[in-house]
Amino acid sequence: MYRYDEFDHAFVNERVAEFRDQVGRRLTGELSEEEFRPLRLRNGLYLQLHAYMLRIAVPYGQLSPRQMRQLAMIGRKWDRGYGHFTTRQNIQFNWIKLVDVPDVLAALADVEMHCIQTSGNCVRNVTSDPYAAAANDELETPRVWCEILRQWSTLHPEFNWLPRKFKIAVSGAAEDRAATAFHDIGLRIVRGPNGENGFRVLVGGGMGRTPYVGQVIREFLPKEHLLSYVESILRVYNLLGRRDNLYKARIKILVNTLGIEKFREAVEETGTRRLRLAIDLPEDEVRRIASYFTPPDLPERAPRNEALAARRESDPAFATWYRNNVLPHRVPGYASAVISLKEPGRTPGDASSDTMDMVADLAERFGHDEIRVNYTQNLVLPHVALADIPALYDALAEAGLAVGNNELLGDMICCPGLDYCNLANARSIPIAKEIAKKFEDPARQDEIGKIRVNMSGCINACGHHHAGNIGILGVDKKGTELYQITLGGSPKDDAAVGTIIGPGFRAEKVPEAIDTIVETYVENRNEGESFLETWRRVGAAPFKEALYGAR
Amino acid sequence: MPSVVTANRLDDGIVVYLASGGAWTEDIAEAARAEGEDEVKALEATAEEAVRERLVISVYPMPIEVKDDGTVDPISVRERIRASHRTTLTKDWYDVPL
C-alpha cells in the first residue's frame, strides 16, 4: 500500500497542528462557530444528533493491520469502543469530544491516516473496488489512480470550494463493485482500441434528492490524460455549477441541465484550450506511485485444497459461509474473504474496537497484512490462502463474525439514520434489524439468492436506497416515520434508480412488506433469474398487487 | 404548548437544555419551561449569551409535552432520541450509558 514520504508526513502533521490551533482558538473565542464550522468540516468533524462525529478517510478502502489497531485504540480511548464503516469506505466515530479531536488526528497521522476533505464542498475520499489486485476479473489495479487523484485533489487550490461535494470512484475490473455509475465522476479501466488500458469516464451520477445514473462523457481516455480530463470536468463544474440552490448544486444537475453533449463540449474545449498547461503526471511519478501497489508476494499454492473441500462437505455452516463470503482470486490457491458486519441484531457497518483488533490479527495471520473496507459496509481480507480459509472461519466464528450472508438479503446497506444523524427524518437501523430478524434463517436467504436491500433514513441517500434492488427510504410524515419502498435499483453495470412502488409503510409494517416483495419475486421468478431480471420481466404489477391488493 | 431550549455543549457536543438561572443540564426534566412567545424569547436570549460565552452551540427552542405524572417528553421523535442521550436500538453490546 502507499507509504507516506517525508512530504506527506510533514503535510499531515502540519495540518494536525493547524487544527489543534484552530480548536484552541475556538475554545478561547478567537473564532466564532460560523468561522470555525467550515474548518472543522474540512477535518471531518460534524455536529450530529448526540455529539460530534468524526469521519476518517480510508483511501480506496485499504487498511493495514497497524492502522486498524489504531482505529480500535481511538474507539476505546476517545469514543465508546466502536466505529461505523460507511458506504464510502470511510469510518466514523459517533461520540467524539471536540477537545479530543487534535489528539485523535495526531494518532491518525502516526499511522498515515487523516480526516482531510471527508466533508465540505471539495473532492472527497476516492473510493474503489475492495478486491483490487485480488479479483480474477481485474484488468488493472485502480488503486494507483485513486492515489494519484487523492494527492492531486488534496487541498487543490482551484477545487477547494466547489458548488457542492464531489465524489469519485475508480474500478479496474470487469464487474463494477464500486458503484461508479452513482458518483460525480466514475472511472472504469477498460481496454482501448490498440490493446492499451485507459478509462471509460462517467459523469453526473449520484443519489440524494435527484438520483441519476452517470453518463458516459468519454468512452476511452488514455491513462496519461486522466488528471487533465478530471481537471477539465471540475473546472467546468466549478464555473457553471449552481451555487444559489443547495439542492441543485451537484454536477449531476449541471450535466442533465446542459445535456451530456454540451457538457462534453465544454469539458473537451476547456481541456484542449489548456492542453499545454495540462497537469498530466509525468510517467516517472506514475511509476513511483505504482511501485507502492505491487501485489503481495504470494507463495505458490495448489489450486485446490483437499482439507477445505472436506470441510465444505462436512460442515454446512462453513459451506454456506464459503459459498457466499469467499470470492475467487487471480492467483490460484488463494481467495478473498468477506468479513460480514451484518450479523442479525447488530447495526450494519458497526465494528467494536475488539473486532477491529481481531481483524487486524487475522490480516496478519492469514491475509498478508491487508484489509479492505467495501462500500456495502463489510470488511475484506483480499489475499487468503485456500488452506487458511477454515482456520480463518473458525476464528471468525469464535467472535460471532462468521456470518455467511455476503450479498444476500441480510447484507443490507444501512445509514445511521435518526439514531445518530442530524439530517435524518427517520430511523433506519432499527428497521434494518427487524428485517434481518425476519430473514435470519440462512437457508431462506440462500433460497432467495443474491439481492441488494438498501436503506436510508433521509433523502440524502447515504444508505444508497436508490441503488437497492429493494430500497427503503425513511421520511417524516407529519411527525410520524414512514417508509417508502423502491424496486428495481442496481449499483452495478446495469445501474438503475429504483422506482417507488406505492404509498409508504409505517415502521412496524416494513419487514412484512419486504417479505411480501421477496415472496412475490420467488413466486414469479424463472429458474436462475435474479430479482432484477424478474422485476424487469414482470414489471411492477404483481408487486403492487401483493403489497396493496385492490386498493 | 410549553417549550424548552436545547443546544449542544461546545467542548464535547453533548445535548443539553437550558435550566433555571442560566445553567445547562443534560436532563430535560430539569429544563426551564417557557409558556408563550415572550418566555421562549427570554430563554433564547439567555441561551445566546451562553453561545457568546462559548458554553454551547446550535441553540433552538422545541415544544414539549408535560405528562400527568410530571415527566417531560419532547414532541418529535428526533428530540426524544436526543433527550435520551442514546440510540433507540435495543441494548447493544456497545451501547453504554453516558
PDB file of all heavy atoms in Angstrom, chain A residues 27 29 49-50 52 80 98-99 346-347 350 352 419 422 427 433, chain B residues 10-11 13 15 54 78 81-82 86-89 92-94 96 98:
ATOM      1  N   LEU A  27     -12.059  27.547  21.311  1.00  0.00           N
ATOM      2  CA  LEU A  27     -12.371  27.430  22.739  1.00  0.00           C
ATOM      3  C   LEU A  27     -12.093  28.725  23.492  1.00  0.00           C
ATOM      4  O   LEU A  27     -12.735  29.021  24.501  1.00  0.00           O
ATOM      5  CB  LEU A  27     -11.597  26.258  23.365  1.00  0.00           C
ATOM      6  CG  LEU A  27     -12.006  24.862  22.842  1.00  0.00           C
ATOM      7  CD1 LEU A  27     -11.035  23.792  23.331  1.00  0.00           C
ATOM      8  CD2 LEU A  27     -13.435  24.510  23.255  1.00  0.00           C
ATOM      9  N   GLY A  29     -12.430  31.658  22.023  1.00  0.00           N
ATOM     10  CA  GLY A  29     -13.324  32.667  21.480  1.00  0.00           C
ATOM     11  C   GLY A  29     -12.740  33.493  20.350  1.00  0.00           C
ATOM     12  O   GLY A  29     -13.403  34.386  19.824  1.00  0.00           O
ATOM     13  N   LEU A  49     -26.489  14.384  16.052  1.00  0.00           N
ATOM     14  CA  LEU A  49     -27.626  14.434  16.961  1.00  0.00           C
ATOM     15  C   LEU A  49     -27.194  14.455  18.433  1.00  0.00           C
ATOM     16  O   LEU A  49     -27.644  15.282  19.208  1.00  0.00           O
ATOM     17  CB  LEU A  49     -28.488  13.184  16.706  1.00  0.00           C
ATOM     18  CG  LEU A  49     -29.970  13.341  16.957  1.00  0.00           C
ATOM     19  CD1 LEU A  49     -30.584  14.367  16.028  1.00  0.00           C
ATOM     20  CD2 LEU A  49     -30.664  12.002  16.748  1.00  0.00           C
ATOM     21  N   HIS A  50     -26.318  13.532  18.804  1.00  0.00           N
ATOM     22  CA  HIS A  50     -25.951  13.370  20.209  1.00  0.00           C
ATOM     23  C   HIS A  50     -24.637  14.035  20.572  1.00  0.00           C
ATOM     24  O   HIS A  50     -24.373  14.287  21.741  1.00  0.00           O
ATOM     25  CB  HIS A  50     -25.786  11.879  20.549  1.00  0.00           C
ATOM     26  CG  HIS A  50     -27.029  11.076  20.365  1.00  0.00           C
ATOM     27  ND1 HIS A  50     -28.090  11.134  21.221  1.00  0.00           N
ATOM     28  CD2 HIS A  50     -27.370  10.178  19.401  1.00  0.00           C
ATOM     29  CE1 HIS A  50     -29.039  10.305  20.807  1.00  0.00           C
ATOM     30  NE2 HIS A  50     -28.623   9.717  19.703  1.00  0.00           N
ATOM     31  N   TYR A  52     -20.401  15.198  18.633  1.00  0.00           N
ATOM     32  CA  TYR A  52     -19.620  15.369  17.402  1.00  0.00           C
ATOM     33  C   TYR A  52     -19.374  14.001  16.777  1.00  0.00           C
ATOM     34  O   TYR A  52     -19.250  12.992  17.476  1.00  0.00           O
ATOM     35  CB  TYR A  52     -18.270  16.015  17.705  1.00  0.00           C
ATOM     36  CG  TYR A  52     -18.355  17.461  18.143  1.00  0.00           C
ATOM     37  CD1 TYR A  52     -18.236  17.802  19.490  1.00  0.00           C
ATOM     38  CD2 TYR A  52     -18.535  18.489  17.215  1.00  0.00           C
ATOM     39  CE1 TYR A  52     -18.295  19.132  19.901  1.00  0.00           C
ATOM     40  CE2 TYR A  52     -18.593  19.821  17.618  1.00  0.00           C
ATOM     41  CZ  TYR A  52     -18.477  20.133  18.961  1.00  0.00           C
ATOM     42  OH  TYR A  52     -18.534  21.430  19.366  1.00  0.00           O
ATOM     43  N   ARG A  80     -16.685   5.349  22.202  1.00  0.00           N
ATOM     44  CA  ARG A  80     -17.360   4.376  23.066  1.00  0.00           C
ATOM     45  C   ARG A  80     -17.059   2.933  22.687  1.00  0.00           C
ATOM     46  O   ARG A  80     -17.885   2.043  22.872  1.00  0.00           O
ATOM     47  CB  ARG A  80     -18.872   4.611  23.017  1.00  0.00           C
ATOM     48  CG  ARG A  80     -19.277   5.929  23.610  1.00  0.00           C
ATOM     49  CD  ARG A  80     -20.772   6.012  23.738  1.00  0.00           C
ATOM     50  NE  ARG A  80     -21.175   7.236  24.389  1.00  0.00           N
ATOM     51  CZ  ARG A  80     -22.417   7.493  24.765  1.00  0.00           C
ATOM     52  NH1 ARG A  80     -23.364   6.594  24.546  1.00  0.00           N
ATOM     53  NH2 ARG A  80     -22.724   8.636  25.327  1.00  0.00           N
ATOM     54  N   LEU A  98     -14.908  17.483  21.004  1.00  0.00           N
ATOM     55  CA  LEU A  98     -14.128  18.470  20.256  1.00  0.00           C
ATOM     56  C   LEU A  98     -12.730  18.614  20.846  1.00  0.00           C
ATOM     57  O   LEU A  98     -11.730  18.662  20.113  1.00  0.00           O
ATOM     58  CB  LEU A  98     -14.849  19.826  20.275  1.00  0.00           C
ATOM     59  CG  LEU A  98     -14.088  21.011  19.673  1.00  0.00           C
ATOM     60  CD1 LEU A  98     -13.819  20.799  18.179  1.00  0.00           C
ATOM     61  CD2 LEU A  98     -14.846  22.318  19.906  1.00  0.00           C
ATOM     62  N   VAL A  99     -12.664  18.654  22.163  1.00  0.00           N
ATOM     63  CA  VAL A  99     -11.368  18.900  22.810  1.00  0.00           C
ATOM     64  C   VAL A  99     -10.368  17.759  22.560  1.00  0.00           C
ATOM     65  O   VAL A  99      -9.165  17.947  22.695  1.00  0.00           O
ATOM     66  CB  VAL A  99     -11.529  19.127  24.332  1.00  0.00           C
ATOM     67  CG1 VAL A  99     -12.226  20.452  24.608  1.00  0.00           C
ATOM     68  CG2 VAL A  99     -12.291  17.979  24.993  1.00  0.00           C
ATOM     69  N   ARG A 346     -27.099  -6.879  14.964  1.00  0.00           N
ATOM     70  CA  ARG A 346     -26.066  -5.839  15.049  1.00  0.00           C
ATOM     71  C   ARG A 346     -26.395  -4.718  14.076  1.00  0.00           C
ATOM     72  O   ARG A 346     -27.087  -4.912  13.073  1.00  0.00           O
ATOM     73  CB  ARG A 346     -24.696  -6.415  14.678  1.00  0.00           C
ATOM     74  CG  ARG A 346     -24.228  -7.541  15.601  1.00  0.00           C
ATOM     75  CD  ARG A 346     -23.294  -7.006  16.675  1.00  0.00           C
ATOM     76  NE  ARG A 346     -22.893  -8.066  17.603  1.00  0.00           N
ATOM     77  CZ  ARG A 346     -21.684  -8.613  17.593  1.00  0.00           C
ATOM     78  NH1 ARG A 346     -20.785  -8.243  16.719  1.00  0.00           N
ATOM     79  NH2 ARG A 346     -21.369  -9.543  18.476  1.00  0.00           N
ATOM     80  N   THR A 347     -25.838  -3.543  14.351  1.00  0.00           N
ATOM     81  CA  THR A 347     -26.021  -2.409  13.448  1.00  0.00           C
ATOM     82  C   THR A 347     -25.134  -2.584  12.221  1.00  0.00           C
ATOM     83  O   THR A 347     -23.921  -2.743  12.370  1.00  0.00           O
ATOM     84  CB  THR A 347     -25.667  -1.099  14.181  1.00  0.00           C
ATOM     85  OG1 THR A 347     -26.550  -0.955  15.293  1.00  0.00           O
ATOM     86  CG2 THR A 347     -25.799   0.094  13.267  1.00  0.00           C
ATOM     87  N   ASP A 350     -21.246  -1.455  11.821  1.00  0.00           N
ATOM     88  CA  ASP A 350     -20.573  -1.160  13.093  1.00  0.00           C
ATOM     89  C   ASP A 350     -19.566  -2.261  13.431  1.00  0.00           C
ATOM     90  O   ASP A 350     -19.819  -3.437  13.185  1.00  0.00           O
ATOM     91  CB  ASP A 350     -21.586  -1.071  14.236  1.00  0.00           C
ATOM     92  CG  ASP A 350     -22.207   0.314  14.355  1.00  0.00           C
ATOM     93  OD1 ASP A 350     -22.018   1.136  13.445  1.00  0.00           O
ATOM     94  OD2 ASP A 350     -22.883   0.566  15.366  1.00  0.00           O
ATOM     95  N   SER A 352     -16.858  -3.188  16.781  1.00  0.00           N
ATOM     96  CA  SER A 352     -16.292  -2.806  18.074  1.00  0.00           C
ATOM     97  C   SER A 352     -14.775  -2.717  17.953  1.00  0.00           C
ATOM     98  O   SER A 352     -14.174  -3.276  17.024  1.00  0.00           O
ATOM     99  CB  SER A 352     -16.667  -3.841  19.144  1.00  0.00           C
ATOM    100  OG  SER A 352     -16.004  -5.057  18.871  1.00  0.00           O
ATOM    101  N   ASP A 419     -31.093   7.729  14.544  1.00  0.00           N
ATOM    102  CA  ASP A 419     -30.452   7.383  15.818  1.00  0.00           C
ATOM    103  C   ASP A 419     -29.167   8.165  16.047  1.00  0.00           C
ATOM    104  O   ASP A 419     -28.700   8.281  17.175  1.00  0.00           O
ATOM    105  CB  ASP A 419     -30.174   5.885  15.888  1.00  0.00           C
ATOM    106  CG  ASP A 419     -31.416   5.117  16.300  1.00  0.00           C
ATOM    107  OD1 ASP A 419     -31.886   5.341  17.419  1.00  0.00           O
ATOM    108  OD2 ASP A 419     -31.917   4.330  15.482  1.00  0.00           O
ATOM    109  N   ASN A 422     -27.992  14.152  12.130  1.00  0.00           N
ATOM    110  CA  ASN A 422     -28.704  15.424  12.219  1.00  0.00           C
ATOM    111  C   ASN A 422     -29.618  15.675  11.029  1.00  0.00           C
ATOM    112  O   ASN A 422     -30.539  16.471  11.111  1.00  0.00           O
ATOM    113  CB  ASN A 422     -27.676  16.558  12.302  1.00  0.00           C
ATOM    114  CG  ASN A 422     -27.969  17.480  13.468  1.00  0.00           C
ATOM    115  OD1 ASN A 422     -29.037  17.415  14.083  1.00  0.00           O
ATOM    116  ND2 ASN A 422     -27.035  18.352  13.778  1.00  0.00           N
ATOM    117  N   ARG A 427     -35.671   6.803  11.534  1.00  0.00           N
ATOM    118  CA  ARG A 427     -34.671   5.817  11.928  1.00  0.00           C
ATOM    119  C   ARG A 427     -34.508   4.770  10.827  1.00  0.00           C
ATOM    120  O   ARG A 427     -35.468   4.462  10.120  1.00  0.00           O
ATOM    121  CB  ARG A 427     -35.101   5.132  13.233  1.00  0.00           C
ATOM    122  CG  ARG A 427     -34.826   5.992  14.453  1.00  0.00           C
ATOM    123  CD  ARG A 427     -35.504   5.460  15.675  1.00  0.00           C
ATOM    124  NE  ARG A 427     -36.954   5.624  15.571  1.00  0.00           N
ATOM    125  CZ  ARG A 427     -37.806   5.236  16.497  1.00  0.00           C
ATOM    126  NH1 ARG A 427     -37.368   4.651  17.584  1.00  0.00           N
ATOM    127  NH2 ARG A 427     -39.103   5.420  16.339  1.00  0.00           N
ATOM    128  N   LYS A 433     -32.670  -3.925  11.470  1.00  0.00           N
ATOM    129  CA  LYS A 433     -32.549  -5.041  12.413  1.00  0.00           C
ATOM    130  C   LYS A 433     -33.787  -5.931  12.388  1.00  0.00           C
ATOM    131  O   LYS A 433     -33.695  -7.156  12.469  1.00  0.00           O
ATOM    132  CB  LYS A 433     -32.322  -4.511  13.830  1.00  0.00           C
ATOM    133  CG  LYS A 433     -30.925  -3.974  14.053  1.00  0.00           C
ATOM    134  CD  LYS A 433     -30.736  -3.608  15.503  1.00  0.00           C
ATOM    135  CE  LYS A 433     -29.294  -3.220  15.766  1.00  0.00           C
ATOM    136  NZ  LYS A 433     -29.029  -3.037  17.190  1.00  0.00           N
TER     137      LYS A 433
ATOM    138  N   LEU B  10     -20.313  22.962  23.672  1.00  0.00           N
ATOM    139  CA  LEU B  10     -19.240  23.220  22.702  1.00  0.00           C
ATOM    140  C   LEU B  10     -18.104  22.204  22.815  1.00  0.00           C
ATOM    141  O   LEU B  10     -17.648  21.663  21.815  1.00  0.00           O
ATOM    142  CB  LEU B  10     -18.681  24.637  22.890  1.00  0.00           C
ATOM    143  CG  LEU B  10     -17.420  24.960  22.070  1.00  0.00           C
ATOM    144  CD1 LEU B  10     -17.713  24.915  20.568  1.00  0.00           C
ATOM    145  CD2 LEU B  10     -16.850  26.313  22.467  1.00  0.00           C
ATOM    146  N   ASP B  11     -17.655  21.922  24.021  1.00  0.00           N
ATOM    147  CA  ASP B  11     -16.404  21.160  24.136  1.00  0.00           C
ATOM    148  C   ASP B  11     -16.560  19.672  23.867  1.00  0.00           C
ATOM    149  O   ASP B  11     -15.616  19.012  23.444  1.00  0.00           O
ATOM    150  CB  ASP B  11     -15.716  21.410  25.486  1.00  0.00           C
ATOM    151  CG  ASP B  11     -16.553  20.947  26.666  1.00  0.00           C
ATOM    152  OD1 ASP B  11     -17.715  20.526  26.448  1.00  0.00           O
ATOM    153  OD2 ASP B  11     -16.051  20.999  27.799  1.00  0.00           O
ATOM    154  N   GLY B  13     -19.944  18.369  22.609  1.00  0.00           N
ATOM    155  CA  GLY B  13     -21.054  18.155  21.688  1.00  0.00           C
ATOM    156  C   GLY B  13     -22.296  17.545  22.300  1.00  0.00           C
ATOM    157  O   GLY B  13     -23.303  17.332  21.616  1.00  0.00           O
ATOM    158  N   VAL B  15     -25.779  16.812  24.160  1.00  0.00           N
ATOM    159  CA  VAL B  15     -27.062  17.521  24.171  1.00  0.00           C
ATOM    160  C   VAL B  15     -27.337  18.075  25.565  1.00  0.00           C
ATOM    161  O   VAL B  15     -27.213  17.348  26.566  1.00  0.00           O
ATOM    162  CB  VAL B  15     -28.197  16.558  23.761  1.00  0.00           C
ATOM    163  CG1 VAL B  15     -29.556  17.237  23.887  1.00  0.00           C
ATOM    164  CG2 VAL B  15     -27.979  16.049  22.338  1.00  0.00           C
ATOM    165  N   ARG B  54     -19.259  30.750  24.829  1.00  0.00           N
ATOM    166  CA  ARG B  54     -18.648  29.521  24.303  1.00  0.00           C
ATOM    167  C   ARG B  54     -18.932  28.287  25.159  1.00  0.00           C
ATOM    168  O   ARG B  54     -18.137  27.368  25.233  1.00  0.00           O
ATOM    169  CB  ARG B  54     -17.135  29.692  24.120  1.00  0.00           C
ATOM    170  CG  ARG B  54     -16.776  30.862  23.233  1.00  0.00           C
ATOM    171  CD  ARG B  54     -15.304  31.008  23.082  1.00  0.00           C
ATOM    172  NE  ARG B  54     -14.587  31.082  24.343  1.00  0.00           N
ATOM    173  CZ  ARG B  54     -14.553  32.147  25.134  1.00  0.00           C
ATOM    174  NH1 ARG B  54     -15.186  33.260  24.784  1.00  0.00           N
ATOM    175  NH2 ARG B  54     -13.859  32.118  26.251  1.00  0.00           N
ATOM    176  N   ARG B  78     -37.205  12.875  16.841  1.00  0.00           N
ATOM    177  CA  ARG B  78     -35.818  13.336  16.842  1.00  0.00           C
ATOM    178  C   ARG B  78     -35.416  13.842  18.230  1.00  0.00           C
ATOM    179  O   ARG B  78     -34.360  13.471  18.758  1.00  0.00           O
ATOM    180  CB  ARG B  78     -35.666  14.446  15.801  1.00  0.00           C
ATOM    181  CG  ARG B  78     -34.291  15.058  15.722  1.00  0.00           C
ATOM    182  CD  ARG B  78     -34.280  16.188  14.688  1.00  0.00           C
ATOM    183  NE  ARG B  78     -32.933  16.623  14.409  1.00  0.00           N
ATOM    184  CZ  ARG B  78     -32.267  17.525  15.128  1.00  0.00           C
ATOM    185  NH1 ARG B  78     -32.842  18.088  16.170  1.00  0.00           N
ATOM    186  NH2 ARG B  78     -31.032  17.862  14.800  1.00  0.00           N
ATOM    187  N   ILE B  81     -35.149  11.169  20.893  1.00  0.00           N
ATOM    188  CA  ILE B  81     -33.871  10.437  20.800  1.00  0.00           C
ATOM    189  C   ILE B  81     -32.747  11.279  21.406  1.00  0.00           C
ATOM    190  O   ILE B  81     -31.925  10.775  22.181  1.00  0.00           O
ATOM    191  CB  ILE B  81     -33.558  10.070  19.331  1.00  0.00           C
ATOM    192  CG1 ILE B  81     -34.599   9.072  18.797  1.00  0.00           C
ATOM    193  CG2 ILE B  81     -32.158   9.476  19.202  1.00  0.00           C
ATOM    194  CD1 ILE B  81     -34.527   8.820  17.302  1.00  0.00           C
ATOM    195  N   ARG B  82     -32.722  12.575  21.072  1.00  0.00           N
ATOM    196  CA  ARG B  82     -31.670  13.441  21.625  1.00  0.00           C
ATOM    197  C   ARG B  82     -31.736  13.485  23.153  1.00  0.00           C
ATOM    198  O   ARG B  82     -30.724  13.412  23.847  1.00  0.00           O
ATOM    199  CB  ARG B  82     -31.804  14.871  21.080  1.00  0.00           C
ATOM    200  CG  ARG B  82     -31.300  15.052  19.652  1.00  0.00           C
ATOM    201  CD  ARG B  82     -31.437  16.494  19.191  1.00  0.00           C
ATOM    202  NE  ARG B  82     -30.330  17.340  19.608  1.00  0.00           N
ATOM    203  CZ  ARG B  82     -30.434  18.400  20.390  1.00  0.00           C
ATOM    204  NH1 ARG B  82     -31.613  18.764  20.863  1.00  0.00           N
ATOM    205  NH2 ARG B  82     -29.376  19.121  20.702  1.00  0.00           N
ATOM    206  N   ARG B  86     -28.997   8.519  23.861  1.00  0.00           N
ATOM    207  CA  ARG B  86     -28.574   7.226  23.326  1.00  0.00           C
ATOM    208  C   ARG B  86     -29.430   6.919  22.100  1.00  0.00           C
ATOM    209  O   ARG B  86     -30.402   7.609  21.816  1.00  0.00           O
ATOM    210  CB  ARG B  86     -28.700   6.107  24.364  1.00  0.00           C
ATOM    211  CG  ARG B  86     -30.062   6.036  25.054  1.00  0.00           C
ATOM    212  CD  ARG B  86     -30.291   4.700  25.690  1.00  0.00           C
ATOM    213  NE  ARG B  86     -30.390   3.678  24.660  1.00  0.00           N
ATOM    214  CZ  ARG B  86     -30.571   2.391  24.912  1.00  0.00           C
ATOM    215  NH1 ARG B  86     -30.636   1.966  26.149  1.00  0.00           N
ATOM    216  NH2 ARG B  86     -30.685   1.516  23.941  1.00  0.00           N
ATOM    217  N   THR B  87     -29.061   5.884  21.404  1.00  0.00           N
ATOM    218  CA  THR B  87     -29.858   5.469  20.262  1.00  0.00           C
ATOM    219  C   THR B  87     -31.107   4.750  20.765  1.00  0.00           C
ATOM    220  O   THR B  87     -31.218   4.422  21.944  1.00  0.00           O
ATOM    221  CB  THR B  87     -29.053   4.515  19.365  1.00  0.00           C
ATOM    222  OG1 THR B  87     -28.845   3.306  20.081  1.00  0.00           O
ATOM    223  CG2 THR B  87     -27.719   5.114  18.970  1.00  0.00           C
ATOM    224  N   THR B  88     -32.017   4.481  19.851  1.00  0.00           N
ATOM    225  CA  THR B  88     -33.231   3.756  20.240  1.00  0.00           C
ATOM    226  C   THR B  88     -33.042   2.252  20.070  1.00  0.00           C
ATOM    227  O   THR B  88     -33.996   1.497  20.174  1.00  0.00           O
ATOM    228  CB  THR B  88     -34.418   4.179  19.359  1.00  0.00           C
ATOM    229  OG1 THR B  88     -34.143   3.775  18.001  1.00  0.00           O
ATOM    230  CG2 THR B  88     -34.647   5.664  19.396  1.00  0.00           C
ATOM    231  N   LEU B  89     -31.834   1.861  19.766  1.00  0.00           N
ATOM    232  CA  LEU B  89     -31.591   0.457  19.464  1.00  0.00           C
ATOM    233  C   LEU B  89     -31.711  -0.374  20.728  1.00  0.00           C
ATOM    234  O   LEU B  89     -31.415   0.100  21.823  1.00  0.00           O
ATOM    235  CB  LEU B  89     -30.204   0.302  18.843  1.00  0.00           C
ATOM    236  CG  LEU B  89     -29.950   1.276  17.680  1.00  0.00           C
ATOM    237  CD1 LEU B  89     -28.523   1.208  17.221  1.00  0.00           C
ATOM    238  CD2 LEU B  89     -30.898   0.985  16.544  1.00  0.00           C
ATOM    239  N   ASP B  92     -27.435  -2.837  22.910  1.00  0.00           N
ATOM    240  CA  ASP B  92     -26.398  -3.385  22.052  1.00  0.00           C
ATOM    241  C   ASP B  92     -25.178  -3.718  22.883  1.00  0.00           C
ATOM    242  O   ASP B  92     -25.008  -3.239  23.993  1.00  0.00           O
ATOM    243  CB  ASP B  92     -26.000  -2.349  20.989  1.00  0.00           C
ATOM    244  CG  ASP B  92     -26.610  -2.706  19.644  1.00  0.00           C
ATOM    245  OD1 ASP B  92     -26.548  -3.889  19.273  1.00  0.00           O
ATOM    246  OD2 ASP B  92     -27.127  -1.802  18.976  1.00  0.00           O
ATOM    247  N   TRP B  93     -24.315  -4.461  22.317  1.00  0.00           N
ATOM    248  CA  TRP B  93     -23.074  -4.837  23.001  1.00  0.00           C
ATOM    249  C   TRP B  93     -22.204  -3.634  23.293  1.00  0.00           C
ATOM    250  O   TRP B  93     -21.363  -3.662  24.155  1.00  0.00           O
ATOM    251  CB  TRP B  93     -22.303  -5.855  22.169  1.00  0.00           C
ATOM    252  CG  TRP B  93     -22.389  -5.583  20.701  1.00  0.00           C
ATOM    253  CD1 TRP B  93     -23.461  -5.865  19.895  1.00  0.00           C
ATOM    254  CD2 TRP B  93     -21.425  -4.983  19.863  1.00  0.00           C
ATOM    255  NE1 TRP B  93     -23.200  -5.466  18.609  1.00  0.00           N
ATOM    256  CE2 TRP B  93     -21.958  -4.928  18.557  1.00  0.00           C
ATOM    257  CE3 TRP B  93     -20.137  -4.484  20.067  1.00  0.00           C
ATOM    258  CZ2 TRP B  93     -21.270  -4.388  17.483  1.00  0.00           C
ATOM    259  CZ3 TRP B  93     -19.458  -3.963  18.995  1.00  0.00           C
ATOM    260  CH2 TRP B  93     -20.026  -3.920  17.723  1.00  0.00           C
ATOM    261  N   TYR B  94     -22.417  -2.550  22.554  1.00  0.00           N
ATOM    262  CA  TYR B  94     -21.580  -1.377  22.777  1.00  0.00           C
ATOM    263  C   TYR B  94     -22.350  -0.198  23.341  1.00  0.00           C
ATOM    264  O   TYR B  94     -21.819   0.875  23.506  1.00  0.00           O
ATOM    265  CB  TYR B  94     -20.916  -0.949  21.479  1.00  0.00           C
ATOM    266  CG  TYR B  94     -21.914  -0.778  20.352  1.00  0.00           C
ATOM    267  CD1 TYR B  94     -22.812   0.268  20.347  1.00  0.00           C
ATOM    268  CD2 TYR B  94     -21.963  -1.702  19.314  1.00  0.00           C
ATOM    269  CE1 TYR B  94     -23.733   0.406  19.337  1.00  0.00           C
ATOM    270  CE2 TYR B  94     -22.875  -1.562  18.292  1.00  0.00           C
ATOM    271  CZ  TYR B  94     -23.767  -0.503  18.311  1.00  0.00           C
ATOM    272  OH  TYR B  94     -24.680  -0.368  17.310  1.00  0.00           O
ATOM    273  N   VAL B  96     -23.406   1.910  25.786  1.00  0.00           N
ATOM    274  CA  VAL B  96     -23.098   2.160  27.191  1.00  0.00           C
ATOM    275  C   VAL B  96     -23.681   3.511  27.594  1.00  0.00           C
ATOM    276  O   VAL B  96     -23.802   4.412  26.770  1.00  0.00           O
ATOM    277  CB  VAL B  96     -21.567   2.157  27.438  1.00  0.00           C
ATOM    278  CG1 VAL B  96     -21.013   0.768  27.253  1.00  0.00           C
ATOM    279  CG2 VAL B  96     -20.870   3.138  26.529  1.00  0.00           C
ATOM    280  N   LEU B  98     -24.037   7.243  29.112  1.00  0.00           N
ATOM    281  CA  LEU B  98     -23.164   8.412  29.022  1.00  0.00           C
ATOM    282  C   LEU B  98     -22.270   8.505  30.273  1.00  0.00           C
ATOM    283  O   LEU B  98     -22.730   8.279  31.374  1.00  0.00           O
ATOM    284  CB  LEU B  98     -24.028   9.656  28.902  1.00  0.00           C
ATOM    285  CG  LEU B  98     -23.392  10.880  28.295  1.00  0.00           C
ATOM    286  CD1 LEU B  98     -22.962  10.615  26.874  1.00  0.00           C
ATOM    287  CD2 LEU B  98     -24.387  12.025  28.340  1.00  0.00           C
TER     288      LEU B  98
END
